[in-house]
Amino acid sequence: MAKVSLERIRKQFGSSVAVSDFSLDIADGELVTLLGPSGCGKTTTLRMIAGFIDPTAGTIFIGGKDVTRVPVHKRNTGMVFQRYALFPHMTVAENVAFGMEMHKVPAAEREVRIRTALDMVRMTQLRDRYPRQLSGGQQQRIAVARALAIEPEVFLLDEPLSNLDAKLRLEVREEIRILQRRLGLTTIFVTHDQEEALAISDRMAIMHDGKVQQVGTPESLYERPANLFVADFLGKMNFFPGRVESANRFVTDKGFALAVDGASSTARRVGVRPERVVLRAQPTGSNALAGVVESAVYLGFQIDARVRLETGDLLSCQVPNSAAVDATPLAVGSHVYACFRAGDCVMFSE
């Protein structure tokens, strides 16, 4: 296992900058997720760490060694690709052995590692099958086993769950996290799925237009987003543009006042997460905005409601199923108050 350090790495394709001045330290045994929309530079960054792409500028260290110009096969990184990349003419065991052959691992040791890797992903009984005889989830487990069999210093995963159905994604995601913790592997996980990143990460680096927007724990990024992009990309948020009147009072452009906690004089927008909004028949708490339920979508575990406020703004609310039973009816057309605390308000300067 090893620490990974990226020092101002940059990748430019012609006049297009894919990654710009990316710096990040990843601790030994830590799982860090690169999260962002398509085209933000996260996969390009991962492929530079793996050695498939040379950076235009900057330095990459693995285990304290400068590997910026070191070829792929000498970096000792194990990579799992989005589309599995299994060889169709090889059995499961042969696919797992392939990377070790490239690393010139002796045959006797290869067999031991094959058994160990397949056992870790619970696929030992399928070692003689071919990829076409496996389900998508089984193929992804084999791809993980192949990456682990070379005993990498760094484990790299590029959207490894995107081709699986929802239930299988959850199952394989949990298995990868359990394996990573048990083996103490330094791991970099690329995804565009916010829930996936929140569930699996020790820390997250959110990217946009080739730049890192914010790095931190899942909780810190969700509760204290650094800017509007992070707030809007990581989950949902209601925004109210306006101005600060005092440390505890924010007046929106529509003219209603919100109670807030310790607002900076530069704040120009307040955000509130939908799950922090409680719908009631009567006004309660620090902030209570009158409105009418415009839509209510039943999702089983929660109800996604939209409330048209008296100001004309549309407010998103997420009501837990258990709370909806005893709370104000969420029938379309119901008059409600959208209530939230001053401490639920997040302020932004943009």
Side-chain angles (χ1 to χ4, degrees):
M1 312 326 131
K3 175 183 176 181
V4 176
S5 293
L6 310 178
E7 294 187 357
R8 302 194 68 179
I9 62 170
R10 176 183 179 88
K11 183 58 185 179
Q12 190 164 341
F13 297 99
S15 60
S16 175
V17 178
V19 178
S20 177
D21 294 331
F22 189 139
S23 294
L24 181 67
D25 287 330
I26 301 168
D28 187 358
E30 185 178 29
L31 191 156
V32 171
T33 296
L34 306 182
L35 174 68
S38 297
C40 71
K42 56 189 185 295
T43 292
T44 299
T45 300
L46 193 77
R47 293 177 74 83
M48 284 192 285
I49 296 169
F52 293 113
I53 298 175
D54 290 331
T56 305
T59 312
I60 300 171
F61 294 93
I62 295 179
K65 299 177 182 178
D66 183 349
V67 298
T68 312
R69 305 301 169 190
V70 173
V72 177
H73 65 282
K74 293 186 177 180
R75 292 199 186 193
N76 197 20
T77 59
M79 188 154 178
V80 178
F81 299 90
Q82 181 177 348
R83 298 188 181 278
Y84 319 139
L86 299 179
F87 297 106
H89 63 287
M90 293 183 180
T91 65
V92 164
E94 289 168 343
N95 266 283
V96 174
F98 181 79
M100 292 184 283
E101 292 172 1
M102 296 299 98
H103 283 74
K104 302 192 183 305
V105 176
E109 186 178 346
R110 284 204 303 269
E111 182 55 36
V112 172
R113 290 198 198 179
I114 290 170
R115 288 199 302 268
T116 301
L118 290 178
D119 184 58
M120 282 192 290
V121 297
R122 296 181 289 113
M123 294 289 288
T124 305
Q125 73 279 10
L126 302 180
R127 61 172 293 146
D128 295 323
R129 291 193 184 181
Y130 290 89
R132 65 179 178 275
Q133 298 172 302
L134 306 175
S135 68
Q138 289 170 332
Q139 289 185 58
Q140 193 59 291
R141 288 184 177 94
I142 298 307
V144 169
R146 181 178 60 187
L148 295 177
I150 64 172
E151 298 182 351
E153 291 183 302
V154 182
F155 192 30
L156 307 174
L157 301 103
D158 184 13
E159 302 266 13
L161 310 178
S162 61
N163 291 322
L164 306 180
D165 62 55
K167 186 175 180 180
L168 197 54
R169 283 175 74 110
L170 180 60
E171 182 180 322
V172 177
R173 180 182 82 193
E174 291 175 348
E175 290 176 355
I176 288 174
R177 183 54 160 154
I178 290 169
L179 268 176
Q180 184 269 335
R181 281 177 169 160
R182 191 173 80 194
L183 299 174
L185 274 172
T186 305
T187 301
I188 304 170
F189 189 104
V190 162
T191 183
H192 65 273
D193 188 300
Q194 297 94 326
E195 180 182 327
E196 195 167 276
L198 288 167
I200 205 170
S201 309
D202 291 316
R203 285 190 303 147
M204 300 158 56
I206 297 184
M207 299 182 67
H208 180 52
D209 287 342
K211 297 180 180 179
V212 177
Q213 301 295 308
Q214 189 176 359
V215 178
T217 64
E219 182 181 0
S220 67
L221 268 60
Y222 189 83
E223 300 294 344
R224 297 178 294 280
N227 56 44
L228 291 172
F229 175 80
V230 174
D232 196 37
F233 183 77
L234 192 61
K236 297 179 181 178
M237 186 168 273
N238 298 294
F239 294 105
F240 301 97
R243 68 188 187 282
V244 173
E245 278 200 349
S246 69
N248 302 110
R249 183 180 171 89
F250 183 93
V251 178
T252 73
D253 288 346
K254 297 293 180 67
F256 61 87
L258 295 177
V260 296
D261 284 345
S264 164
S265 61
T266 61
R268 293 294 178 267
R269 201 175 295 258
V270 161
V272 182
R273 295 286 186 192
E275 69 272 17
R276 301 296 170 84
V277 179
V278 180
L279 300 182
R280 301 193 184 280
Q282 300 296 327
T284 59
S286 306
N287 298 296
L289 310 178
V292 176
V293 176
E294 193 166 280
S295 67
V297 180
Y298 181 79
L299 297 177
F301 67 100
Q302 73 181 28
I303 296 173
D304 277 7
R306 288 175 175 264
V307 175
R308 181 69 66 179
L309 302 179
E310 290 180 345
T311 58
D313 293 298
L314 193 61
L315 195 71
S316 293
C317 316
Q318 292 175 347
V319 183
N321 195 331
S322 57
V325 173
D326 301 319
T328 302
L330 294 180
V332 173
S334 298
H335 289 268
V336 295
Y337 286 90
C339 306
F340 50 93
R341 301 168 300 178
D344 293 324
C345 297
V346 182
M347 277 146 290
F348 302 93
S349 297
E350 294 98 328

